[in-house]
């Protein structure tokens, strides 16, 4: 598998376009998206049109914001700005994009031995932050590689042959060689709303033949995205957080 792995696009079309431009010359023939195509931002249709028409093979799963924007959940667990953005999205989706989010596959999904999920393989809404939580997941599922999103943090957890788990937040750009003796839980970070205090869009390229994962950080026009959010009348905090990377 040679895949562009992305997650948490959050209706940020400028960030997504910058990612696609950055990886144009990279070798991958699949796009894996771990959910939250929409929510927070004001460009849901632009993001969904780009994702639906990408020419690579697509392995897409649903995120919790997609579920609410699709009208499948009332968003009562969301904070006020997130719920407002999800309802705004629900009202602004084009017909084809509404159908697309309503029909997104719910994770976990096994793709060629790699498990794809939004929050955790147990639950779309579960956040995985700690090594003990990662260990519990790697103990319960036997996939060599689990890809997840939802936290908006680029992270690698690895479990060795003795069951010991080590995790690290990936700072900036980095390429990792995956050890065949270990199993991994990997988050590519967020394209549309990073939360590691680095506002640049985050993504990863996974090559299971070479056993490498390359994390990339891509600058984009943040001010332009902020303006679309404010012009749409969405809460200012959603625009402010983009510049802070929080
Ligand atoms: Fe998200």
């Amino acid at each position: 598998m040679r895949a562009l792995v992305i997650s948490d696009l959050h209706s940020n079309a400028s960030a997504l376009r910058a990612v696609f431009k950055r990886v144009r010359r990279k070798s991958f023939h699949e796009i894996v998206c771990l959910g939250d195509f929409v929510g927070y931002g004001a460009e849901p249709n632009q993001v969904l049109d780009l994702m639906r028409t990408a020419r690579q093979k697509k392995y897409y799963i649903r995120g919790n914001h997609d579920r609410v924007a699709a009208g499948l959940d009332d968003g009562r667990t969301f904070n006020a700005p997130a719920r407002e953005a999800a309802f705004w999205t629900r009202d602004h989706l084009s017909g084809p994009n509404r159908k697309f989010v309503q029909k997104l596959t719910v994770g976990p999904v096994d793709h060629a031995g790699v498990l794809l999920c939004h929050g955790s393989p147990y639950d779309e809404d579960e956040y995985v932050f700690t090594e003990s939580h990662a260990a519990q997941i790697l103990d319960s599922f036997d996939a060599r590689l689990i890809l997840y999103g939802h936290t908006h943090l680029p992270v690698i957890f690895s479990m060795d042959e003795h069951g010991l788990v080590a995790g690290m937040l990936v700072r900036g750009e980095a390429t990792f060689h995956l050890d065949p003796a270990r199993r991994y839980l990997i988050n590519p970070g967020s394209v549309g709303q990073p939360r590691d205090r680095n506002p640049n869009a985050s993504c990863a390229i996974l090559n299971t033949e070479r056993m490498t994962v390359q994390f990339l950080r891509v600058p984009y026009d943040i001010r332009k995205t902020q303006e679309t959010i404010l012009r749409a009348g969405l809460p200012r905090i959603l625009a402010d957080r983009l510049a802070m990377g929080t």
Side-chain angles (χ1 to χ4, degrees):
M1 179 196 302
R2 277 180 290 160
L4 170 66
V5 184
I6 53 180
S7 189
D8 298 279
L9 321 180
H10 284 299
S11 296
N12 187 339
S14 296
L16 182 60
R17 281 193 204 98
V19 164
F20 281 158
K21 197 169 168 197
R22 172 71 193 277
V23 300
R24 212 172 26 186
R25 292 183 210 288
K26 302 263 181 206
S27 167
F28 65 94
H29 32 63
E30 298 174 0
I31 303 179
V32 167
C33 182
L34 305 168
D36 280 1
F37 292 74
V38 298
Y40 297 138
E43 301 166 303
N45 288 307
Q46 292 91 327
V47 163
L48 291 167
D49 291 346
L50 283 166
M51 292 299 285
R52 285 195 299 117
T53 56
R55 59 188 159 74
Q56 290 85 359
K57 278 191 174 176
K58 302 168 189 66
Y59 298 90
Y60 294 172
I61 61 167
R62 187 180 79 177
N64 54 323
H65 287 255
D66 305 322
R67 188 180 70 225
V68 178
L72 302 169
D73 176 322
D74 63 9
R76 86 177 57 173
T77 60
F78 280 15
N79 61 38
R83 191 164 52 244
E84 188 176 335
F87 289 169
W88 180 92
T89 305
R90 195 185 287 185
D91 292 341
H92 286 81
L93 286 177
S94 68
N97 286 335
R98 176 169 298 111
K99 256 189 216 129
F100 175 85
V101 290
Q102 283 172 343
K103 288 186 176 167
L104 276 169
T105 307
V106 181
V109 166
D110 179 294
H111 168 42
V114 177
L115 199 61
L116 315 179
C117 57
H118 180 64
S120 87
Y122 300 116
D123 183 349
E124 205 169 57
D125 295 84
E126 188 169 280
Y127 290 93
V128 182
F129 289 118
T130 65
E131 288 176 341
S132 60
H133 195 176
Q136 190 194 342
I137 292 166
L138 286 163
D139 265 336
S140 311
F141 295 87
D142 55 11
R144 170 141 290 165
L145 207 57
I146 302 172
L147 302 176
Y148 75 106
H150 194 43
T151 63
H152 298 208
L153 302 173
V155 166
I156 290 196
F157 290 104
S158 76
M159 179 183 260
D160 69 14
E161 57 269 51
H162 308 295
L164 284 176
V165 170
M168 70 179 264
L169 183 67
V170 180
R171 299 207 176 271
E173 301 206 334
T175 300
F176 296 88
H177 290 270
L178 304 178
D179 179 346
R182 288 173 177 259
R183 294 168 54 237
Y184 293 89
L185 189 57
I186 295 175
N187 188 325
S190 167
V191 170
Q193 207 218 54
R195 291 185 189 152
D196 59 347
R197 301 195 176 277
N198 175 350
N200 294 336
S202 186
C203 66
I205 292 185
L206 173 68
N207 185 328
T208 56
E209 291 142 39
R210 289 193 183 167
M211 292 290 277
T212 57
V213 58
Q214 179 181 23
F215 288 82
L216 300 170
R217 296 308 289 252
V218 187
Y220 70 97
D221 193 340
I222 292 174
R223 187 170 292 182
K224 197 169 136 200
T225 298
Q226 290 178 311
E227 281 166 7
T228 65
I229 289 172
L230 298 176
R231 222 179 301 130
L234 290 169
R236 174 169 285 276
I237 189 167
L238 299 175
D240 291 344
R241 290 181 70 177
L242 289 176
M244 297 185 286
T246 57

